[in-house]
Amino acid sequence: MQVRTPLTAAIILLAMTGAAAAQMKCTVNDPTGTPLNVRSKPNGRIVGTLKNGTPVNAWAIHSVQGKLWARITPPGSAKNRWVFRQYLSCQELYD
Protein backbone atom coordinates (compact mmCIF):
# COMPACT_ATOMS: atom_id res chain seq x y z
CA MET A 1 0.00 0.00 0.00
CA GLN A 2 1.34 3.41 -0.96
CA VAL A 3 1.02 6.18 1.62
CA ARG A 4 0.76 9.78 0.42
CA THR A 5 1.04 12.83 2.59
CA PRO A 6 -1.15 15.86 1.88
CA LEU A 7 1.95 17.68 0.59
CA THR A 8 2.70 14.82 -1.82
CA ALA A 9 -0.87 14.91 -3.10
CA ALA A 10 -0.64 18.68 -3.59
CA ILE A 11 2.61 18.35 -5.53
CA ILE A 12 1.05 15.71 -7.77
CA LEU A 13 -1.93 17.99 -8.43
CA LEU A 14 0.37 20.91 -9.19
CA ALA A 15 2.02 18.82 -11.88
CA MET A 16 -1.34 18.20 -13.56
CA THR A 17 -3.38 20.64 -15.58
CA GLY A 18 -6.60 21.93 -14.08
CA ALA A 19 -8.66 19.75 -16.42
CA ALA A 20 -6.73 16.61 -15.55
CA ALA A 21 -6.50 17.15 -11.80
CA ALA A 22 -8.11 14.51 -9.64
CA GLN A 23 -10.94 15.44 -7.36
CA MET A 24 -10.10 15.36 -3.68
CA LYS A 25 -12.55 14.91 -0.83
CA CYS A 26 -11.49 17.32 1.92
CA THR A 27 -12.50 18.50 5.36
CA VAL A 28 -11.85 21.97 6.75
CA ASN A 29 -9.15 21.59 9.42
CA ASP A 30 -8.10 25.10 10.51
CA PRO A 31 -5.81 24.83 13.56
CA THR A 32 -6.61 28.39 14.63
CA GLY A 33 -10.15 27.34 15.50
CA THR A 34 -11.61 30.29 13.59
CA PRO A 35 -13.76 29.84 10.48
CA LEU A 36 -11.78 29.37 7.26
CA ASN A 37 -12.09 32.28 4.82
CA VAL A 38 -13.52 31.39 1.42
CA ARG A 39 -12.32 33.67 -1.36
CA SER A 40 -13.34 34.60 -4.89
CA LYS A 41 -9.78 33.79 -6.10
CA PRO A 42 -6.43 33.10 -4.40
CA ASN A 43 -5.70 36.12 -2.19
CA GLY A 44 -9.01 37.58 -3.44
CA ARG A 45 -11.89 39.11 -1.56
CA ILE A 46 -13.55 37.05 1.17
CA VAL A 47 -16.96 35.77 0.06
CA GLY A 48 -17.76 33.52 3.03
CA THR A 49 -16.38 31.24 5.73
CA LEU A 50 -16.43 27.52 6.56
CA LYS A 51 -16.35 25.92 10.01
CA ASN A 52 -13.93 23.16 11.00
CA GLY A 53 -15.23 19.76 9.96
CA THR A 54 -17.09 21.06 6.91
CA PRO A 55 -16.68 18.67 3.94
CA VAL A 56 -15.69 20.18 0.57
CA ASN A 57 -14.55 18.90 -2.82
CA ALA A 58 -11.20 20.24 -4.06
CA TRP A 59 -10.73 20.41 -7.83
CA ALA A 60 -7.34 22.04 -8.25
CA ILE A 61 -4.34 23.22 -6.26
CA HIS A 62 -2.44 26.35 -7.34
CA SER A 63 0.66 28.01 -5.96
CA VAL A 64 0.44 31.79 -5.59
CA GLN A 65 3.47 33.59 -4.21
CA GLY A 66 4.75 30.31 -2.75
CA LYS A 67 1.48 29.41 -0.98
CA LEU A 68 -0.90 26.66 -2.00
CA TRP A 69 -4.56 27.45 -2.65
CA ALA A 70 -7.33 24.91 -3.29
CA ARG A 71 -10.23 25.51 -5.67
CA ILE A 72 -13.24 24.05 -3.89
CA THR A 73 -16.98 23.72 -4.14
CA PRO A 74 -18.45 24.74 -0.78
CA PRO A 75 -21.56 22.90 0.47
CA GLY A 76 -24.76 24.33 -0.98
CA SER A 77 -22.92 26.30 -3.66
CA ALA A 78 -22.60 25.74 -7.40
CA LYS A 79 -19.67 28.17 -7.65
CA ASN A 80 -16.03 27.23 -7.25
CA ARG A 81 -14.22 29.22 -4.59
CA TRP A 82 -10.71 29.30 -3.08
CA VAL A 83 -9.29 28.47 0.34
CA PHE A 84 -5.80 28.24 1.79
CA ARG A 85 -4.77 24.61 1.11
CA GLN A 86 -2.90 24.22 4.40
CA TYR A 87 -6.23 24.33 6.26
CA LEU A 88 -7.75 21.33 4.47
CA SER A 89 -7.33 17.67 5.28
CA CYS A 90 -7.75 15.79 1.98
CA GLN A 91 -7.93 12.34 0.45
CA GLU A 92 -7.58 11.86 -3.30
CA LEU A 93 -10.45 10.04 -5.03
CA TYR A 94 -9.65 7.61 -7.79
CA ASP A 95 -11.93 6.73 -10.71
Side-chain angles (χ1 to χ4, degrees):
M1 181 170 96
Q2 184 178 11
V3 178
R4 291 187 178 161
T5 65
L7 179 58
T8 303
I11 292 169
I12 290 169
L13 285 176
L14 281 172
M16 300 174 169
T17 65
Q23 176 185 357
M24 296 178 74
K25 192 65 142 179
C26 302
T27 304
V28 174
N29 187 18
D30 186 341
T32 67
T34 59
L36 178 62
N37 289 331
V38 178
R39 297 177 181 269
S40 59
K41 61 183 181 179
N43 289 327
R45 74 179 167 87
I46 297 170
V47 295
T49 60
L50 295 171
K51 293 181 181 180
N52 273 341
T54 302
V56 296
N57 292 322
W59 303 99
I61 307 293
H62 292 278
S63 179
V64 177
Q65 299 175 347
K67 297 189 181 198
L68 295 178
W69 290 85
R71 185 178 63 161
I72 65 158
T73 304
S77 175
K79 292 185 177 185
N80 289 326
R81 299 296 188 189
W82 294 89
V83 296
F84 194 49
R85 169 61 180 90
Q86 181 178 342
Y87 297 148
L88 295 179
S89 176
C90 299
Q91 178 180 17
E92 189 169 353
L93 301 178
Y94 296 95
D95 292 334

